[in-house]
Amino acid sequence: MDQLVTEKLTKRYGGKTLALQEVSLSAPSSGIFALIGRNGAGKTTLVRILATELAPTSGSASINGIDVVKEDKKLRERIAIVPQEARTISWMTPKQSALAYLMWRGFGHSEAKKRAEESLGRLKLDKYADTLNRSLSGGTKRKVLAAMVLASEADIVFLDEPTTGLDPISRRDFWDILRELAKDRFIFLTTHYLEEAEQLADTLGILGEGRLVAIGSVPSIRGRIRYQYSIKLPPKVPVPGVSKGEVITGRNGEVQILTNEDEAFAISRSLSVAGTRFSISPVSLDDIFFQLVGEPTQREQEAATPGEE
Amino acid sequence: MKRSYSSQLMAAILVNSVYEMKNYPINLVNTVLSPLSFLIVITFVSKGTLIGQAIEGGLIMSMFQSGTALQGDISHLKNDFKLQDMLVSSPASPSVYVLGMAISELIYVAPALLVLVVLGQIYIHPSALQALEMAAALLLMFVTSITIGFMFATLSSDIVQSFAWSRLLTTIFTTVTPVYYPLTYIPLPFRYLAYLSPTTYAAEIMQNVVGYLQESASVVITDWAVLGGVTAVLLVVVSRKARWKET
Ligand SMILES: Nc1ncnc2c1ncn2[C@@H]1O[C@H](COP(=O)(O)OP(=O)(O)O)[C@@H](O)[C@H]1O
Ligand SMILES: [Mg+2]
């Protein structure tokens, strides 16, 4: 029962853009589910449908057995979201923001105030509690938004690219908070940082051009791909012949060979014999993503407008 | 969990009037001043003879302005802060949200209303029954403008455009139309155009109640029927067509 399930979920905007194409998935609705994909892959569309903000064109979805379309009112009792482009209201303080959000959810004033303060404390925002949102840094503002929804009773929380634009230190801080909070609620987050998904996700979904490319735990996805090993060579060294695998030449001339276990050993032996410097490692999530999704397509390049990150 | 409607109403009032007024008191000055400034102009130009009509006009404008202000505020919160998305994905009810926002707009116009009511007592001095009729017409006007405002807000996706619309609506429905001056001042063929605006009916009712106009009973009944009808139709349309959730 405690599952997130979608069945051939499809969304076509205004009869044109096919943002989601028959996405069918099933994942436990506990811990952290991370949805990764490039800009324009359809992450926000999927989140908005699951969070009952957007009607799908066809197909169905449910969380813990509650249908996101037919039982939207029932589901709304349990969910909360920080939309991708949400911003804190400039003329309010973090404490007022959390208080108002909780009161909108129907909490009495004193309970709302208590929860607001607790949540701000948990996210280490107490010292900003009474500062106007407009004078907070970008990273702090994003944390305030998270504190608002995490102060609520919702046990299903959607965060659409919560760490985009945060500096690396704030991002790591934020990961710690999410891990802590996912202990007693289901967090569905989207990101285009592979590292983030690898660090956080209990279940990982990969979306490419509106299609679900892979789903599962990070190790299981790693296990499902063709090439498990990555060999990296510095620029301008002779590249050994590769019978099973892929050779990618980076812009700086560095060469990466993705290949299977047997071939990887054979190649590394010959490289050692030739005295070439190289490194060998299991593929990273980046490599996996590349193998599954391929190069950015036209649509993804268009969606990746500069300045958005 | 048991959810409190009064908390939900209070949330809108806090966000949209209490906290906002604290930070932008200029908004308050604005809502108070615009109905009063027309009142002053009309009174001076008419050498005081139209002061009664102008006070009534100010009352109608204040009510109507609440709706256009609601439109601006809701679309600001929706498009710039994504507040509506946050509330859609929560147990907050759309009607309670709108009601709370509507009350917060009333709070903004309250000082203007107070001034106008005091001026009305001095220059119009209506009987209790007349005052009641006027209040009823104003209430219908308020509901009409709030529903129009909410509908426009949910359909908007651009805040600049939304503010432009709200200014346009205010101008068309409260300054061009015979709200501050008698309908009979409009030359005949154009007079029929005025009847396209719900504010005209409210003004006719209010001017007739205290004797500035002497309309037949059938005209007055028609006025009430139109104003009530428009309000009812808009309520139905808004409940069906307003976009809380996207399709
Ligand atoms: N409201 C909309 N109307 C039309 N097209 C849209 C709308 N929202 C998103 N799209 C398109 O749908 C595709 C998926 O977008 P989105 O779900 O926002 O992707 P992501 O969140 O992964 O960046 C993109 O091509 C985008 O341009
Ligand atoms: Mg997105």
Side-chain angles (χ1 to χ4, degrees), chain A residues 262-292:
Chain A
D262 292 343
E263 183 95 9
F265 280 117
I267 293 171
S268 50
R269 207 173 307 124
S270 70
L271 287 170
S272 304
V273 170
T276 312
R277 274 180 42 215
F278 70 99
S279 69
I280 179 166
S281 62
V283 288
S284 68
L285 198 53
D286 266 291
D287 304 323
I288 295 175
F289 189 76
F290 177 80
Q291 288 189 49
L292 292 172

Side-chain angles (χ1 to χ4, degrees), chain A residues 11-221:
Chain A
K11 178 69 194 183
R12 193 183 279 281
Y13 284 108
K16 289 200 302 271
T17 316
L18 195 52
L20 287 181
Q21 287 185 61
E22 305 204 336
V23 171
S24 298
L25 63 82
S26 156
S29 55
S30 56
I32 298 181
F33 182 100
L35 184 66
I36 62 173
R38 298 195 175 99
N39 281 318
K43 301 181 296 297
T44 297
T45 303
L46 180 54
V47 168
R48 298 192 72 210
I49 291 173
L50 295 177
T52 76
E53 279 169 34
L54 182 71
T57 309
S58 61
S60 64
S62 68
I63 306 175
N64 299 348
I66 308 170
D67 190 285
V68 303
V69 178
K70 295 192 202 98
E71 298 172 285
D72 54 359
K73 285 222 174 69
K74 189 173 168 199
L75 188 59
R76 285 171 186 162
E77 295 283 328
R78 299 185 50 182
I79 59 175
I81 189 174
V82 180
Q84 180 171 5
E85 282 159 2
R87 286 174 39 212
T88 50
I89 295 176
S90 47
W91 61 86
M92 289 166 67
T93 66
K95 200 196 280 177
Q96 291 169 345
S97 307
L99 177 76
Y101 177 75
L102 293 174
M103 287 175 72
W104 253 312
R105 293 188 73 105
F107 283 98
H109 183 273
S110 56
E111 172 75 5
K113 190 155 172 276
K114 197 179 105 218
R115 280 176 166 264
E117 281 164 3
E118 265 170 23
S119 181
L120 290 170
R122 216 166 27 194
L123 272 77
K124 302 194 187 85
L125 293 166
D126 357 19
K127 55 180 173 295
Y128 306 112
D130 299 313
T131 312
L132 281 183
N133 288 328
R134 64 163 164 256
S135 36
L136 300 175
S137 72
T140 310
K141 283 180 189 156
R142 302 283 327 168
K143 282 193 200 160
V144 170
L145 288 164
M148 288 163 63
V149 298
L150 295 167
S152 79
E153 81 296 3
D155 60 352
I156 301 165
V157 175
F158 298 93
L159 303 172
D160 195 356
E161 294 196 20
T163 63
T164 299
L166 291 194
D167 63 82
I169 295 170
S170 307
R171 177 170 302 138
R172 275 178 178 71
D173 265 5
F174 202 74
W175 291 351
D176 292 339
I177 294 162
L178 289 183
R179 276 193 206 101
E180 176 64 31
L181 291 165
K183 283 180 187 158
D184 50 10
R185 45 172 91 54
F186 175 45
I187 297 183
F188 185 111
L189 71 88
T190 73
T191 178
H192 49 214
Y193 301 114
L194 298 159
E195 185 198 5
E196 182 162 300
E198 186 150 37
Q199 288 290 325
L200 291 175
D202 295 302
T203 313
L204 176 66
I206 301 179
L207 213 51
E209 281 239 311
R211 288 179 190 278
L212 187 72
V213 179
I215 181 164
S217 64
V218 177
S220 82
I221 288 181

Side-chain angles (χ1 to χ4, degrees), chain B residues 121-193:
Chain B
Q121 280 302 326
I122 299 169
Y123 294 100
I124 308 177
H125 38 82
S127 69
L129 190 66
Q130 289 171 330
L132 206 66
E133 272 186 70
M134 289 162 74
L138 288 171
L139 183 67
L140 288 179
M141 198 66 257
F142 178 68
V143 177
T144 301
S145 77
I146 289 287
T147 36
I148 295 175
F150 180 60
M151 198 155 62
F152 267 81
T154 60
L155 297 174
S156 80
S157 56
D158 175 345
I159 183 62
V160 178
Q161 194 184 36
S162 186
F163 279 132
W165 272 106
S166 96
R167 276 199 303 274
L168 184 68
L169 290 178
T170 309
T171 309
I172 291 179
F173 288 116
T174 67
T175 39
V176 181
T177 42
V179 166
Y180 279 91
Y181 60 92
L183 174 69
T184 46
Y185 281 27
I186 306 181
L188 236 191
F190 298 109
R191 209 176 288 173
Y192 297 110
L193 280 179

Side-chain angles (χ1 to χ4, degrees), chain A residues 11 13 48 51-56 68-69 72 76-83 85-92 96-97 99-101 103-109 132 134 145 148-149 153, chain B residues 1-16 19-24 76-77 79-93 96-97 101 244-247:
Chain A
K11 178 69 194 183
Y13 284 108
R48 298 192 72 210
T52 76
E53 279 169 34
L54 182 71
V68 303
V69 178
D72 54 359
R76 285 171 186 162
E77 295 283 328
R78 299 185 50 182
I79 59 175
I81 189 174
V82 180
E85 282 159 2
R87 286 174 39 212
T88 50
I89 295 176
S90 47
W91 61 86
M92 289 166 67
Q96 291 169 345
S97 307
L99 177 76
Y101 177 75
M103 287 175 72
W104 253 312
R105 293 188 73 105
F107 283 98
H109 183 273
L132 281 183
R134 64 163 164 256
L145 288 164
M148 288 163 63
V149 298
E153 81 296 3
Chain B
M1 135 184 197
K2 196 173 166 332
R3 303 190 192 271
S4 147
Y5 282 129
S6 57
S7 270
Q8 298 188 18
L9 289 177
M10 198 59 209
I13 295 165
L14 283 175
V15 170
N16 201 47
Y19 299 146
E20 214 217 14
M21 272 183 204
K22 265 200 222 161
N23 276 285
Y24 305 110
H76 188 35
L77 292 172
N79 298 319
D80 291 353
F81 302 110
K82 302 288 165 198
L83 178 70
Q84 193 169 318
D85 283 347
M86 291 185 78
L87 296 182
V88 170
S89 306
S90 90
S93 106
V96 177
Y97 173 64
M101 292 294 287
W244 181 244
K245 170 179 179 161
E246 262 180 61
T247 49

